[in-house]
Amino acid sequence: MGSKKLHNTNSAIKINTGVSKPCALNTIAANKYKSFNRRYLSVDEYTSGILRGDRAILSKAITLIESSLLDHQANAQELIKSCLPYAGNSIRIGITGVPGVGKSTFIEAMGKFLIKNGRKIAVLAIDPSSSKTNGSILGDKTRMEELSKESNAFIRPTPSSGSLGGVARKTRESIILCEAAGFDTIIVETVGVGQSETEVHSMVDFFLLLMLAGAGDELQGIKRGIMEMADAIIIHKADGDNINRAQLSLSEIKNAIHLFHPSESGWITTADHCSSLTNDGIDRIWKTILEYINVTKSNNFFFKHRTSQSLRVFHQALNQKMIGLMYEQSSFKRKIKQKEEEVSNGKQSAYTAAQELFEMFVKEISV
Ligand code: GDP
């Protein structure tokens, strides 16, 4: 059959001259996205993007904060400075509990509830151990899937590497940027192991501990100190067959709370139970948080607490700089090594060695 015949307009199997198939990707958008992601923004561009609540720019700005490149760090500091006047106007909530207690499910349920109530939620995380699992805590796509689709939510996976101190710093700075971007509720999640709770506690207004109802082991899995840090202790997964056990655990927790030292905030730790599957109790917990904010704002603890948190960070940073000044000086590295040997060999006491070295250092920098 010749092609002439196929092109016969009277034929039922007419074939028109083809047009080339368009690319499956929207190339204009894809190129724009690529070049946006590759392009360096100026600090002014970052600032104006953040202030108008652009989540893509906010995300890129947090990446800048997380970068260890020196020029990125300089820009990041400038950016934080320009965002600072617009920050601070949020409720900062820390959430902790052992892995599996349901933190991300709870954050999703609470987040959706708050968005329905007109709030804007940013979720950040501290999990220094995630460097081993490449930032799994929030990196896993199935976590908070529904919340992440909300336009009034911003979910940032954990920085995938760094020491606890480094990750904590990045989270503190990210809080500033999120607040400047208009997020009025900041949730910082931590895994309930190690030191990260203390760090999170030192950067939030309200600290919430999630626990599971269990065979009398409530007080074992979590260190007592962490329970005492909590402004609210929640028995989670209080649904189905678990409700009775949750109620029992709740009364045990309430008894334990009586023995806590009174807090400087004037707030007495509350206990409740909730379910993120049925949403029972989510609204009560939010009410408790608002009550806490009310109480601590009216007795001025809220502001005093934020000031002391900032001052603590300032002194930590200053200490680190001071220590760095001595330890990173090449001439001193040798002297430190020498003193180490003298202490190891029992030639000098640790205190005398430190005192002598310190005096040498003071002399050197005062010349
Ligand atoms: P995380 O490791 O603390 O973040 O815990 P996840 O949020 O990943 O939850 C761990 C498991 O507990 C998941 O299988 C959830 O479906 C389940 N879970 C979370 N919240 C609830 C709840 O309120 N009730 C019940 N029954 N299961 C829950």
Side-chain angles (χ1 to χ4, degrees), residues 160-312:
S160 57
S161 64
S163 63
L164 174 58
V167 173
R169 175 186 172 159
K170 288 162 191 170
T171 309
R172 271 196 192 92
E173 293 176 333
S174 304
I175 291 178
I176 294 171
L177 301 192
C178 289
E179 288 176 344
F183 291 94
D184 56 22
T185 315
I186 314 285
I187 297 181
V188 185
E189 178 189 0
T190 174
V191 286
V193 282
Q195 276 288 304
S196 51
E197 297 87 347
T198 319
E199 282 295 342
V200 172
H201 183 251
S202 72
M203 64 178 78
V204 297
D205 306 314
F206 189 91
F207 194 60
L208 195 145
L209 169 64
L210 291 183
M211 293 181 81
L212 290 176
D217 62 353
E218 287 78 20
L219 306 178
Q220 288 170 30
I222 295 273
K223 281 181 236 118
R224 195 193 155 90
I226 292 170
M227 288 184 66
E228 292 201 4
M229 269 196 272
D231 298 302
I233 298 174
I234 307 296
I235 305 292
H236 198 210
K237 307 192 187 179
D239 46 49
D241 296 345
N242 219 14
I243 290 186
N244 288 341
R245 269 193 294 165
Q247 254 147 9
L248 200 69
S249 294
L250 185 58
S251 45
E252 282 176 26
I253 296 283
K254 281 184 175 165
N255 284 337
I257 286 174
H258 286 309
L259 305 172
F260 287 4
H261 299 296
S263 160
E264 199 196 328
S265 62
W267 175 260
I268 297 164
T269 306
T270 60
D272 202 342
H273 57 49
C274 87
S275 163
S276 301
L277 287 193
T278 64
N279 284 324
D280 179 58
I282 298 289
D283 54 345
R284 282 198 310 273
I285 295 168
W286 178 241
K287 241 171 116 180
T288 301
I289 295 174
L290 289 182
E291 219 174 291
Y292 174 90
I293 302 295
N294 254 333
V295 168
T296 55
K297 275 194 175 166
S298 45
N299 69 14
N300 228 19
F301 175 82
F302 185 90
F303 304 103
K304 254 173 61 187
H305 184 50
R306 279 200 177 178
T307 307
S308 68
Q309 286 176 328
S310 303
L311 289 178
R312 181 175 169 267

Side-chain angles (χ1 to χ4, degrees), residues 111-119:
K112 278 159 58 190
F113 167 79
L114 293 178
I115 284 171
K116 253 190 221 146
N117 282 275
R119 298 192 71 96

Side-chain angles (χ1 to χ4, degrees), residues 14 22 26 40 61 69 73 90 128 173 179 256 279 310:
K14 172 185 78 159
N26 177 344
Y40 281 113
L69 295 177
Q73 282 177 9
S90 82
E173 293 176 333
E179 288 176 344
N279 284 324
S310 303

